[in-house]
Amino acid sequence: MNNQGGGGGSIILATFLVGYMLSQMPLPQFAEWFRPEWVAMILIYWVMALPERVGLGTAALVGLGLDLIKGSPMGLNMLSLLIIAYLTLLLYKRLRMFPLVQQAVMVMVLVGINQLIFNWVHSFMGTRSDSLIFLLPALMSAVLWPWLFVVLRGLRRTFRVS
């Protein structure tokens, strides 16, 4: 454990790797739409907590990795995570002051933007959704945000990531 603080790059990387695994965990067909956007939520947390350390470059690399893992059109996850990271960077001072319930609403909006970008690009490819069911991951992400926030904050404080 680093007693001086300032380290923790491996902790940040490990959380993104866990997010990758959770995003690929097999679910039954009926539950696929209920899968939260784990990687986007982890990115929102780290950008909000450490904006000078985790920013647009991290979002681009994480998004490119997610494109490779999911097999989605190259750059789609990168674009959506860059937009999420940019918006979070613009709002991080306010987000830090919000109670967890209000943060969850903002996470729902940010992940909803992510889902809208996905639906928009898929509509160009001819596979768009005819209903608003594609926004369910945003709702699930908002529901799980308070617990994820507490877990990641605990990790950040335990390992003194700064």
Side-chain angles (χ1 to χ4, degrees), residues 27-61:
L27 291 177
Q29 185 67 29
F30 72 89
E32 278 294 323
W33 285 109
F34 294 99
R35 180 190 308 271
E37 289 292 327
W38 293 106
V39 176
M41 289 193 303
I42 292 168
L43 179 69
I44 290 168
Y45 174 80
W46 287 117
V47 170
M48 190 173 71
L50 301 172
E52 67 283 344
R53 190 156 179 200
V54 178
L56 297 179
T58 304
L61 290 174

PDB file of all heavy atoms in Angstrom, residues 27-61:
ATOM      1  N   LEU A  27     -25.868 -13.041 -19.463  1.00  0.00           N
ATOM      2  CA  LEU A  27     -27.165 -12.883 -18.820  1.00  0.00           C
ATOM      3  C   LEU A  27     -28.207 -13.610 -19.654  1.00  0.00           C
ATOM      4  O   LEU A  27     -28.032 -13.782 -20.860  1.00  0.00           O
ATOM      5  CB  LEU A  27     -27.552 -11.403 -18.732  1.00  0.00           C
ATOM      6  CG  LEU A  27     -26.754 -10.519 -17.789  1.00  0.00           C
ATOM      7  CD1 LEU A  27     -27.225  -9.079 -17.901  1.00  0.00           C
ATOM      8  CD2 LEU A  27     -26.892 -10.989 -16.362  1.00  0.00           C
ATOM      9  N   PRO A  28     -29.316 -14.016 -19.041  1.00  0.00           N
ATOM     10  CA  PRO A  28     -30.398 -14.602 -19.832  1.00  0.00           C
ATOM     11  C   PRO A  28     -30.924 -13.575 -20.841  1.00  0.00           C
ATOM     12  O   PRO A  28     -30.795 -12.365 -20.637  1.00  0.00           O
ATOM     13  CB  PRO A  28     -31.471 -14.931 -18.795  1.00  0.00           C
ATOM     14  CG  PRO A  28     -30.803 -14.848 -17.476  1.00  0.00           C
ATOM     15  CD  PRO A  28     -29.601 -13.996 -17.621  1.00  0.00           C
ATOM     16  N   GLN A  29     -31.516 -14.056 -21.908  1.00  0.00           N
ATOM     17  CA  GLN A  29     -31.989 -13.190 -22.981  1.00  0.00           C
ATOM     18  C   GLN A  29     -32.929 -12.094 -22.475  1.00  0.00           C
ATOM     19  O   GLN A  29     -32.820 -10.951 -22.884  1.00  0.00           O
ATOM     20  CB  GLN A  29     -32.689 -14.037 -24.061  1.00  0.00           C
ATOM     21  CG  GLN A  29     -33.120 -13.251 -25.272  1.00  0.00           C
ATOM     22  CD  GLN A  29     -31.956 -12.717 -26.074  1.00  0.00           C
ATOM     23  OE1 GLN A  29     -30.892 -13.315 -26.090  1.00  0.00           O
ATOM     24  NE2 GLN A  29     -32.137 -11.582 -26.705  1.00  0.00           N
ATOM     25  N   PHE A  30     -33.841 -12.439 -21.560  1.00  0.00           N
ATOM     26  CA  PHE A  30     -34.806 -11.449 -21.078  1.00  0.00           C
ATOM     27  C   PHE A  30     -34.139 -10.354 -20.243  1.00  0.00           C
ATOM     28  O   PHE A  30     -34.688  -9.263 -20.091  1.00  0.00           O
ATOM     29  CB  PHE A  30     -35.923 -12.125 -20.263  1.00  0.00           C
ATOM     30  CG  PHE A  30     -35.486 -12.612 -18.921  1.00  0.00           C
ATOM     31  CD1 PHE A  30     -35.547 -11.794 -17.810  1.00  0.00           C
ATOM     32  CD2 PHE A  30     -34.992 -13.904 -18.764  1.00  0.00           C
ATOM     33  CE1 PHE A  30     -35.138 -12.244 -16.562  1.00  0.00           C
ATOM     34  CE2 PHE A  30     -34.582 -14.365 -17.527  1.00  0.00           C
ATOM     35  CZ  PHE A  30     -34.660 -13.527 -16.421  1.00  0.00           C
ATOM     36  N   ALA A  31     -32.965 -10.623 -19.690  1.00  0.00           N
ATOM     37  CA  ALA A  31     -32.300  -9.667 -18.804  1.00  0.00           C
ATOM     38  C   ALA A  31     -31.255  -8.810 -19.515  1.00  0.00           C
ATOM     39  O   ALA A  31     -30.674  -7.926 -18.884  1.00  0.00           O
ATOM     40  CB  ALA A  31     -31.655 -10.411 -17.645  1.00  0.00           C
ATOM     41  N   GLU A  32     -31.024  -9.036 -20.791  1.00  0.00           N
ATOM     42  CA  GLU A  32     -29.997  -8.280 -21.504  1.00  0.00           C
ATOM     43  C   GLU A  32     -30.245  -6.772 -21.456  1.00  0.00           C
ATOM     44  O   GLU A  32     -29.314  -5.992 -21.364  1.00  0.00           O
ATOM     45  CB  GLU A  32     -29.903  -8.743 -22.961  1.00  0.00           C
ATOM     46  CG  GLU A  32     -29.082  -9.994 -23.154  1.00  0.00           C
ATOM     47  CD  GLU A  32     -27.616  -9.816 -22.824  1.00  0.00           C
ATOM     48  OE1 GLU A  32     -27.045  -8.746 -23.105  1.00  0.00           O
ATOM     49  OE2 GLU A  32     -27.039 -10.759 -22.264  1.00  0.00           O
ATOM     50  N   TRP A  33     -31.502  -6.365 -21.570  1.00  0.00           N
ATOM     51  CA  TRP A  33     -31.814  -4.937 -21.571  1.00  0.00           C
ATOM     52  C   TRP A  33     -31.633  -4.311 -20.186  1.00  0.00           C
ATOM     53  O   TRP A  33     -31.604  -3.087 -20.067  1.00  0.00           O
ATOM     54  CB  TRP A  33     -33.232  -4.692 -22.068  1.00  0.00           C
ATOM     55  CG  TRP A  33     -33.352  -4.851 -23.542  1.00  0.00           C
ATOM     56  CD1 TRP A  33     -33.980  -5.855 -24.195  1.00  0.00           C
ATOM     57  CD2 TRP A  33     -32.816  -3.997 -24.551  1.00  0.00           C
ATOM     58  NE1 TRP A  33     -33.868  -5.684 -25.553  1.00  0.00           N
ATOM     59  CE2 TRP A  33     -33.160  -4.539 -25.801  1.00  0.00           C
ATOM     60  CE3 TRP A  33     -32.069  -2.820 -24.535  1.00  0.00           C
ATOM     61  CZ2 TRP A  33     -32.799  -3.958 -26.999  1.00  0.00           C
ATOM     62  CZ3 TRP A  33     -31.716  -2.242 -25.733  1.00  0.00           C
ATOM     63  CH2 TRP A  33     -32.075  -2.798 -26.938  1.00  0.00           C
ATOM     64  N   PHE A  34     -31.531  -5.137 -19.146  1.00  0.00           N
ATOM     65  CA  PHE A  34     -31.395  -4.620 -17.792  1.00  0.00           C
ATOM     66  C   PHE A  34     -29.937  -4.515 -17.352  1.00  0.00           C
ATOM     67  O   PHE A  34     -29.670  -4.175 -16.204  1.00  0.00           O
ATOM     68  CB  PHE A  34     -32.170  -5.505 -16.805  1.00  0.00           C
ATOM     69  CG  PHE A  34     -33.646  -5.474 -17.024  1.00  0.00           C
ATOM     70  CD1 PHE A  34     -34.275  -6.479 -17.731  1.00  0.00           C
ATOM     71  CD2 PHE A  34     -34.398  -4.423 -16.537  1.00  0.00           C
ATOM     72  CE1 PHE A  34     -35.638  -6.450 -17.935  1.00  0.00           C
ATOM     73  CE2 PHE A  34     -35.767  -4.377 -16.740  1.00  0.00           C
ATOM     74  CZ  PHE A  34     -36.388  -5.396 -17.449  1.00  0.00           C
ATOM     75  N   ARG A  35     -29.003  -4.779 -18.246  1.00  0.00           N
ATOM     76  CA  ARG A  35     -27.575  -4.711 -17.899  1.00  0.00           C
ATOM     77  C   ARG A  35     -27.156  -3.240 -17.779  1.00  0.00           C
ATOM     78  O   ARG A  35     -27.284  -2.472 -18.716  1.00  0.00           O
ATOM     79  CB  ARG A  35     -26.732  -5.374 -18.978  1.00  0.00           C
ATOM     80  CG  ARG A  35     -25.236  -5.347 -18.674  1.00  0.00           C
ATOM     81  CD  ARG A  35     -24.382  -5.795 -19.856  1.00  0.00           C
ATOM     82  NE  ARG A  35     -24.782  -7.065 -20.402  1.00  0.00           N
ATOM     83  CZ  ARG A  35     -24.321  -8.245 -19.986  1.00  0.00           C
ATOM     84  NH1 ARG A  35     -23.472  -8.295 -18.997  1.00  0.00           N
ATOM     85  NH2 ARG A  35     -24.726  -9.351 -20.566  1.00  0.00           N
ATOM     86  N   PRO A  36     -26.663  -2.845 -16.606  1.00  0.00           N
ATOM     87  CA  PRO A  36     -26.194  -1.460 -16.465  1.00  0.00           C
ATOM     88  C   PRO A  36     -24.914  -1.236 -17.265  1.00  0.00           C
ATOM     89  O   PRO A  36     -24.210  -2.185 -17.620  1.00  0.00           O
ATOM     90  CB  PRO A  36     -25.944  -1.314 -14.967  1.00  0.00           C
ATOM     91  CG  PRO A  36     -25.889  -2.688 -14.428  1.00  0.00           C
ATOM     92  CD  PRO A  36     -26.555  -3.610 -15.391  1.00  0.00           C
ATOM     93  N   GLU A  37     -24.616  -0.004 -17.538  1.00  0.00           N
ATOM     94  CA  GLU A  37     -23.388   0.352 -18.257  1.00  0.00           C
ATOM     95  C   GLU A  37     -22.259   0.529 -17.236  1.00  0.00           C
ATOM     96  O   GLU A  37     -21.947   1.633 -16.800  1.00  0.00           O
ATOM     97  CB  GLU A  37     -23.601   1.634 -19.064  1.00  0.00           C
ATOM     98  CG  GLU A  37     -24.496   1.462 -20.259  1.00  0.00           C
ATOM     99  CD  GLU A  37     -23.864   0.605 -21.339  1.00  0.00           C
ATOM    100  OE1 GLU A  37     -22.635   0.649 -21.512  1.00  0.00           O
ATOM    101  OE2 GLU A  37     -24.610  -0.132 -21.995  1.00  0.00           O
ATOM    102  N   TRP A  38     -21.660  -0.603 -16.864  1.00  0.00           N
ATOM    103  CA  TRP A  38     -20.652  -0.617 -15.806  1.00  0.00           C
ATOM    104  C   TRP A  38     -19.454   0.269 -16.125  1.00  0.00           C
ATOM    105  O   TRP A  38     -19.004   1.041 -15.270  1.00  0.00           O
ATOM    106  CB  TRP A  38     -20.174  -2.041 -15.541  1.00  0.00           C
ATOM    107  CG  TRP A  38     -21.228  -2.915 -14.956  1.00  0.00           C
ATOM    108  CD1 TRP A  38     -21.925  -3.906 -15.588  1.00  0.00           C
ATOM    109  CD2 TRP A  38     -21.732  -2.881 -13.616  1.00  0.00           C
ATOM    110  NE1 TRP A  38     -22.821  -4.485 -14.725  1.00  0.00           N
ATOM    111  CE2 TRP A  38     -22.725  -3.882 -13.508  1.00  0.00           C
ATOM    112  CE3 TRP A  38     -21.433  -2.109 -12.504  1.00  0.00           C
ATOM    113  CZ2 TRP A  38     -23.412  -4.121 -12.328  1.00  0.00           C
ATOM    114  CZ3 TRP A  38     -22.121  -2.349 -11.325  1.00  0.00           C
ATOM    115  CH2 TRP A  38     -23.098  -3.342 -11.253  1.00  0.00           C
ATOM    116  N   VAL A  39     -18.932   0.150 -17.331  1.00  0.00           N
ATOM    117  CA  VAL A  39     -17.714   0.898 -17.677  1.00  0.00           C
ATOM    118  C   VAL A  39     -17.996   2.395 -17.667  1.00  0.00           C
ATOM    119  O   VAL A  39     -17.179   3.184 -17.170  1.00  0.00           O
ATOM    120  CB  VAL A  39     -17.163   0.422 -19.043  1.00  0.00           C
ATOM    121  CG1 VAL A  39     -15.977   1.253 -19.458  1.00  0.00           C
ATOM    122  CG2 VAL A  39     -16.789  -1.049 -18.983  1.00  0.00           C
ATOM    123  N   ALA A  40     -19.144   2.795 -18.177  1.00  0.00           N
ATOM    124  CA  ALA A  40     -19.496   4.222 -18.177  1.00  0.00           C
ATOM    125  C   ALA A  40     -19.642   4.741 -16.748  1.00  0.00           C
ATOM    126  O   ALA A  40     -19.187   5.850 -16.434  1.00  0.00           O
ATOM    127  CB  ALA A  40     -20.782   4.436 -18.964  1.00  0.00           C
ATOM    128  N   MET A  41     -20.251   3.955 -15.873  1.00  0.00           N
ATOM    129  CA  MET A  41     -20.412   4.395 -14.478  1.00  0.00           C
ATOM    130  C   MET A  41     -19.057   4.510 -13.778  1.00  0.00           C
ATOM    131  O   MET A  41     -18.828   5.453 -13.019  1.00  0.00           O
ATOM    132  CB  MET A  41     -21.310   3.432 -13.706  1.00  0.00           C
ATOM    133  CG  MET A  41     -22.758   3.502 -14.101  1.00  0.00           C
ATOM    134  SD  MET A  41     -23.848   2.650 -12.946  1.00  0.00           S
ATOM    135  CE  MET A  41     -23.205   0.996 -12.910  1.00  0.00           C
ATOM    136  N   ILE A  42     -18.166   3.557 -14.032  1.00  0.00           N
ATOM    137  CA  ILE A  42     -16.833   3.614 -13.416  1.00  0.00           C
ATOM    138  C   ILE A  42     -16.076   4.827 -13.942  1.00  0.00           C
ATOM    139  O   ILE A  42     -15.401   5.533 -13.183  1.00  0.00           O
ATOM    140  CB  ILE A  42     -16.077   2.291 -13.668  1.00  0.00           C
ATOM    141  CG1 ILE A  42     -16.756   1.165 -12.877  1.00  0.00           C
ATOM    142  CG2 ILE A  42     -14.611   2.418 -13.291  1.00  0.00           C
ATOM    143  CD1 ILE A  42     -16.285  -0.219 -13.251  1.00  0.00           C
ATOM    144  N   LEU A  43     -16.208   5.109 -15.234  1.00  0.00           N
ATOM    145  CA  LEU A  43     -15.565   6.294 -15.811  1.00  0.00           C
ATOM    146  C   LEU A  43     -16.123   7.568 -15.178  1.00  0.00           C
ATOM    147  O   LEU A  43     -15.358   8.472 -14.825  1.00  0.00           O
ATOM    148  CB  LEU A  43     -15.762   6.315 -17.331  1.00  0.00           C
ATOM    149  CG  LEU A  43     -15.158   7.528 -18.038  1.00  0.00           C
ATOM    150  CD1 LEU A  43     -13.641   7.467 -17.987  1.00  0.00           C
ATOM    151  CD2 LEU A  43     -15.647   7.600 -19.469  1.00  0.00           C
ATOM    152  N   ILE A  44     -17.426   7.644 -15.027  1.00  0.00           N
ATOM    153  CA  ILE A  44     -18.037   8.825 -14.400  1.00  0.00           C
ATOM    154  C   ILE A  44     -17.483   9.013 -12.991  1.00  0.00           C
ATOM    155  O   ILE A  44     -17.127  10.129 -12.599  1.00  0.00           O
ATOM    156  CB  ILE A  44     -19.576   8.694 -14.381  1.00  0.00           C
ATOM    157  CG1 ILE A  44     -20.136   8.808 -15.795  1.00  0.00           C
ATOM    158  CG2 ILE A  44     -20.204   9.751 -13.471  1.00  0.00           C
ATOM    159  CD1 ILE A  44     -21.597   8.408 -15.918  1.00  0.00           C
ATOM    160  N   TYR A  45     -17.374   7.931 -12.229  1.00  0.00           N
ATOM    161  CA  TYR A  45     -16.857   8.053 -10.867  1.00  0.00           C
ATOM    162  C   TYR A  45     -15.432   8.601 -10.872  1.00  0.00           C
ATOM    163  O   TYR A  45     -15.123   9.551 -10.143  1.00  0.00           O
ATOM    164  CB  TYR A  45     -16.885   6.714 -10.120  1.00  0.00           C
ATOM    165  CG  TYR A  45     -16.208   6.868  -8.781  1.00  0.00           C
ATOM    166  CD1 TYR A  45     -16.891   7.438  -7.717  1.00  0.00           C
ATOM    167  CD2 TYR A  45     -14.869   6.533  -8.610  1.00  0.00           C
ATOM    168  CE1 TYR A  45     -16.259   7.655  -6.506  1.00  0.00           C
ATOM    169  CE2 TYR A  45     -14.232   6.748  -7.398  1.00  0.00           C
ATOM    170  CZ  TYR A  45     -14.933   7.306  -6.355  1.00  0.00           C
ATOM    171  OH  TYR A  45     -14.299   7.543  -5.162  1.00  0.00           O
ATOM    172  N   TRP A  46     -14.548   7.991 -11.659  1.00  0.00           N
ATOM    173  CA  TRP A  46     -13.143   8.407 -11.620  1.00  0.00           C
ATOM    174  C   TRP A  46     -12.944   9.809 -12.168  1.00  0.00           C
ATOM    175  O   TRP A  46     -12.096  10.557 -11.674  1.00  0.00           O
ATOM    176  CB  TRP A  46     -12.252   7.400 -12.345  1.00  0.00           C
ATOM    177  CG  TRP A  46     -12.068   6.137 -11.567  1.00  0.00           C
ATOM    178  CD1 TRP A  46     -12.459   4.890 -11.935  1.00  0.00           C
ATOM    179  CD2 TRP A  46     -11.470   5.996 -10.269  1.00  0.00           C
ATOM    180  NE1 TRP A  46     -12.140   3.985 -10.946  1.00  0.00           N
ATOM    181  CE2 TRP A  46     -11.530   4.634  -9.918  1.00  0.00           C
ATOM    182  CE3 TRP A  46     -10.894   6.887  -9.373  1.00  0.00           C
ATOM    183  CZ2 TRP A  46     -11.034   4.155  -8.706  1.00  0.00           C
ATOM    184  CZ3 TRP A  46     -10.396   6.407  -8.163  1.00  0.00           C
ATOM    185  CH2 TRP A  46     -10.465   5.053  -7.852  1.00  0.00           C
ATOM    186  N   VAL A  47     -13.708  10.196 -13.189  1.00  0.00           N
ATOM    187  CA  VAL A  47     -13.597  11.568 -13.694  1.00  0.00           C
ATOM    188  C   VAL A  47     -14.094  12.549 -12.639  1.00  0.00           C
ATOM    189  O   VAL A  47     -13.502  13.612 -12.440  1.00  0.00           O
ATOM    190  CB  VAL A  47     -14.376  11.732 -15.029  1.00  0.00           C
ATOM    191  CG1 VAL A  47     -14.479  13.188 -15.429  1.00  0.00           C
ATOM    192  CG2 VAL A  47     -13.724  10.927 -16.128  1.00  0.00           C
ATOM    193  N   MET A  48     -15.151  12.186 -11.946  1.00  0.00           N
ATOM    194  CA  MET A  48     -15.695  13.048 -10.902  1.00  0.00           C
ATOM    195  C   MET A  48     -14.738  13.133  -9.700  1.00  0.00           C
ATOM    196  O   MET A  48     -14.540  14.204  -9.127  1.00  0.00           O
ATOM    197  CB  MET A  48     -17.051  12.509 -10.459  1.00  0.00           C
ATOM    198  CG  MET A  48     -17.829  13.415  -9.575  1.00  0.00           C
ATOM    199  SD  MET A  48     -19.478  12.783  -9.273  1.00  0.00           S
ATOM    200  CE  MET A  48     -19.139  11.389  -8.222  1.00  0.00           C
ATOM    201  N   ALA A  49     -14.124  12.014  -9.341  1.00  0.00           N
ATOM    202  CA  ALA A  49     -13.251  11.980  -8.159  1.00  0.00           C
ATOM    203  C   ALA A  49     -11.864  12.541  -8.440  1.00  0.00           C
ATOM    204  O   ALA A  49     -11.289  13.230  -7.599  1.00  0.00           O
ATOM    205  CB  ALA A  49     -13.134  10.547  -7.646  1.00  0.00           C
ATOM    206  N   LEU A  50     -11.311  12.211  -9.609  1.00  0.00           N
ATOM    207  CA  LEU A  50      -9.942  12.622  -9.947  1.00  0.00           C
ATOM    208  C   LEU A  50      -9.892  13.227 -11.350  1.00  0.00           C
ATOM    209  O   LEU A  50      -9.291  12.657 -12.269  1.00  0.00           O
ATOM    210  CB  LEU A  50      -9.002  11.411  -9.885  1.00  0.00           C
ATOM    211  CG  LEU A  50      -8.914  10.671  -8.555  1.00  0.00           C
ATOM    212  CD1 LEU A  50      -8.121   9.398  -8.696  1.00  0.00           C
ATOM    213  CD2 LEU A  50      -8.320  11.562  -7.483  1.00  0.00           C
ATOM    214  N   PRO A  51     -10.485  14.400 -11.554  1.00  0.00           N
ATOM    215  CA  PRO A  51     -10.557  14.960 -12.909  1.00  0.00           C
ATOM    216  C   PRO A  51      -9.198  15.324 -13.495  1.00  0.00           C
ATOM    217  O   PRO A  51      -9.042  15.327 -14.720  1.00  0.00           O
ATOM    218  CB  PRO A  51     -11.433  16.197 -12.738  1.00  0.00           C
ATOM    219  CG  PRO A  51     -11.315  16.554 -11.298  1.00  0.00           C
ATOM    220  CD  PRO A  51     -11.126  15.253 -10.568  1.00  0.00           C
ATOM    221  N   GLU A  52      -8.215  15.584 -12.643  1.00  0.00           N
ATOM    222  CA  GLU A  52      -6.885  15.920 -13.153  1.00  0.00           C
ATOM    223  C   GLU A  52      -6.108  14.675 -13.603  1.00  0.00           C
ATOM    224  O   GLU A  52      -5.117  14.780 -14.294  1.00  0.00           O
ATOM    225  CB  GLU A  52      -6.076  16.683 -12.099  1.00  0.00           C
ATOM    226  CG  GLU A  52      -5.706  15.887 -10.870  1.00  0.00           C
ATOM    227  CD  GLU A  52      -6.853  15.684  -9.875  1.00  0.00           C
ATOM    228  OE1 GLU A  52      -7.866  16.370  -9.946  1.00  0.00           O
ATOM    229  OE2 GLU A  52      -6.697  14.791  -9.023  1.00  0.00           O
ATOM    230  N   ARG A  53      -6.594  13.518 -13.220  1.00  0.00           N
ATOM    231  CA  ARG A  53      -5.893  12.273 -13.522  1.00  0.00           C
ATOM    232  C   ARG A  53      -6.625  11.401 -14.540  1.00  0.00           C
ATOM    233  O   ARG A  53      -5.990  10.727 -15.349  1.00  0.00           O
ATOM    234  CB  ARG A  53      -5.721  11.499 -12.218  1.00  0.00           C
ATOM    235  CG  ARG A  53      -4.836  10.334 -12.351  1.00  0.00           C
ATOM    236  CD  ARG A  53      -4.245   9.987 -11.034  1.00  0.00           C
ATOM    237  NE  ARG A  53      -3.416   8.816 -11.245  1.00  0.00           N
ATOM    238  CZ  ARG A  53      -3.043   8.007 -10.320  1.00  0.00           C
ATOM    239  NH1 ARG A  53      -3.407   8.232  -9.087  1.00  0.00           N
ATOM    240  NH2 ARG A  53      -2.304   6.975 -10.595  1.00  0.00           N
ATOM    241  N   VAL A  54      -7.934  11.350 -14.453  1.00  0.00           N
ATOM    242  CA  VAL A  54      -8.749  10.542 -15.363  1.00  0.00           C
ATOM    243  C   VAL A  54      -9.602  11.512 -16.164  1.00  0.00           C
ATOM    244  O   VAL A  54     -10.442  12.209 -15.602  1.00  0.00           O
ATOM    245  CB  VAL A  54      -9.639   9.551 -14.582  1.00  0.00           C
ATOM    246  CG1 VAL A  54     -10.513   8.761 -15.525  1.00  0.00           C
ATOM    247  CG2 VAL A  54      -8.789   8.623 -13.733  1.00  0.00           C
ATOM    248  N   GLY A  55      -9.361  11.549 -17.469  1.00  0.00           N
ATOM    249  CA  GLY A  55     -10.076  12.511 -18.298  1.00  0.00           C
ATOM    250  C   GLY A  55     -10.381  11.947 -19.671  1.00  0.00           C
ATOM    251  O   GLY A  55     -10.722  10.765 -19.824  1.00  0.00           O
ATOM    252  N   LEU A  56     -10.221  12.793 -20.667  1.00  0.00           N
ATOM    253  CA  LEU A  56     -10.586  12.416 -22.026  1.00  0.00           C
ATOM    254  C   LEU A  56      -9.666  11.338 -22.603  1.00  0.00           C
ATOM    255  O   LEU A  56     -10.123  10.463 -23.333  1.00  0.00           O
ATOM    256  CB  LEU A  56     -10.592  13.651 -22.928  1.00  0.00           C
ATOM    257  CG  LEU A  56     -11.612  14.727 -22.551  1.00  0.00           C
ATOM    258  CD1 LEU A  56     -11.506  15.916 -23.496  1.00  0.00           C
ATOM    259  CD2 LEU A  56     -13.012  14.175 -22.549  1.00  0.00           C
ATOM    260  N   GLY A  57      -8.397  11.387 -22.276  1.00  0.00           N
ATOM    261  CA  GLY A  57      -7.468  10.356 -22.764  1.00  0.00           C
ATOM    262  C   GLY A  57      -7.830   8.983 -22.226  1.00  0.00           C
ATOM    263  O   GLY A  57      -7.851   7.989 -22.964  1.00  0.00           O
ATOM    264  N   THR A  58      -8.131   8.937 -20.947  1.00  0.00           N
ATOM    265  CA  THR A  58      -8.557   7.673 -20.337  1.00  0.00           C
ATOM    266  C   THR A  58      -9.853   7.193 -20.966  1.00  0.00           C
ATOM    267  O   THR A  58     -10.009   6.004 -21.262  1.00  0.00           O
ATOM    268  CB  THR A  58      -8.742   7.850 -18.822  1.00  0.00           C
ATOM    269  OG1 THR A  58      -7.528   8.341 -18.256  1.00  0.00           O
ATOM    270  CG2 THR A  58      -9.123   6.548 -18.160  1.00  0.00           C
ATOM    271  N   ALA A  59     -10.789   8.123 -21.190  1.00  0.00           N
ATOM    272  CA  ALA A  59     -12.073   7.755 -21.799  1.00  0.00           C
ATOM    273  C   ALA A  59     -11.864   7.175 -23.194  1.00  0.00           C
ATOM    274  O   ALA A  59     -12.512   6.192 -23.569  1.00  0.00           O
ATOM    275  CB  ALA A  59     -12.995   8.968 -21.861  1.00  0.00           C
ATOM    276  N   ALA A  60     -10.948   7.751 -23.961  1.00  0.00           N
ATOM    277  CA  ALA A  60     -10.693   7.248 -25.313  1.00  0.00           C
ATOM    278  C   ALA A  60     -10.101   5.843 -25.263  1.00  0.00           C
ATOM    279  O   ALA A  60     -10.538   4.955 -26.012  1.00  0.00           O
ATOM    280  CB  ALA A  60      -9.750   8.195 -26.052  1.00  0.00           C
ATOM    281  N   LEU A  61      -9.128   5.619 -24.386  1.00  0.00           N
ATOM    282  CA  LEU A  61      -8.508   4.297 -24.286  1.00  0.00           C
ATOM    283  C   LEU A  61      -9.490   3.245 -23.781  1.00  0.00           C
ATOM    284  O   LEU A  61      -9.550   2.127 -24.310  1.00  0.00           O
ATOM    285  CB  LEU A  61      -7.284   4.353 -23.375  1.00  0.00           C
ATOM    286  CG  LEU A  61      -6.079   5.109 -23.924  1.00  0.00           C
ATOM    287  CD1 LEU A  61      -4.996   5.222 -22.863  1.00  0.00           C
ATOM    288  CD2 LEU A  61      -5.548   4.431 -25.165  1.00  0.00           C
TER     289      LEU A  61
END
